[in-house]
Amino acid sequence: TGSGCSCHLVIRHNDGLMVIAHAQPDAQLMGWTVKVGAYFPLSVRYASARMIAAFQHDETRERLLSMMLDPGEDPSDLRRRLARLREDGFEMHQSGIAPGVTDISCPVLNHLGVAAAALTAPIVDGLIPPDRQKVSVLPALLATAAELSARLGAPRSQPTT
């Protein structure tokens, strides 16, 4: 990605998430990586799950929401969070599964304008200063996600809800 940090590409696979690729720069001595082939449940705790769910058409997003939440949990907070992700086009947030890690995630859109994947960079807190995360990591991740989206034939505008 040119960001100087590791990242991984995640797709929805059956009722979960699967890492299909990852990259780690040679110069990076330490960091957080996720193995290719790793399979995770579709959960609100994962940045990639939120990103994939956010960039779906309404019906699909609602179905994913019901899979991501615990039984009886109110979906309204998650709906608002996903709407904000669609508006921003990315998420930068403390990891829901790894303390001390900040996840930066962007959608990779397909020819229908919905997320085919999420490109996520998990950054161990303290390795890359927060100001550099916003000025170098985020733009590099967004550019890479846009390039992948273009290769998948994504329209220039994001999907409407």
Side-chain angles (χ1 to χ4, degrees):
T1 64
S3 66
C5 64
S6 64
C7 63
H8 52 273
L9 188 65
V10 177
I11 62 168
R12 211 172 109 217
H13 181 67
N14 297 325
D15 289 342
L17 304 170
M18 181 177 283
V19 177
I20 60 167
H22 79 256
Q24 186 169 354
D26 291 335
Q28 184 180 7
L29 299 176
M30 297 186 322
W32 178 272
T33 61
V34 183
K35 291 174 77 170
V36 171
Y39 184 81
F40 299 95
L42 195 61
S43 168
V44 69
R45 294 177 26 206
Y46 298 104
S48 296
R50 293 188 302 270
M51 193 55 58
I52 290 171
F55 285 86
Q56 299 297 321
H57 295 297
D58 292 343
E59 184 178 312
T60 302
R61 186 171 42 256
E62 285 300 312
R63 191 172 72 249
L64 294 177
L65 248 137
S66 69
M67 296 167 63
M68 293 170 70
L69 295 171
D70 293 328
E73 193 173 351
D74 182 7
S76 57
D77 287 341
L78 183 55
R79 279 191 190 107
R80 281 190 293 277
R81 185 174 187 179
L82 297 181
R84 189 174 63 249
L85 297 183
R86 284 191 307 278
E87 187 176 302
D88 294 344
F90 70 93
E91 181 178 43
M92 180 182 266
H93 196 268
Q94 284 298 122
S95 173
I97 59 160
V101 172
T102 297
D103 290 325
I104 303 175
S105 191
C106 305
V108 175
L109 305 178
N110 67 15
H111 65 288
L112 300 174
V114 298
L119 184 63
T120 302
I123 301 171
V124 176
D125 293 347
L127 290 182
I128 299 177
D131 60 332
R132 187 168 154 242
Q133 291 175 19
K134 281 201 171 195
V135 299
S136 64
V137 176
L138 177 58
L141 206 65
L142 286 166
T144 301
E147 181 181 337
L148 292 170
S149 296
R151 290 180 183 202
L152 293 177
R156 290 209 167 256
S157 63
Q158 295 177 354
T160 57
T161 55

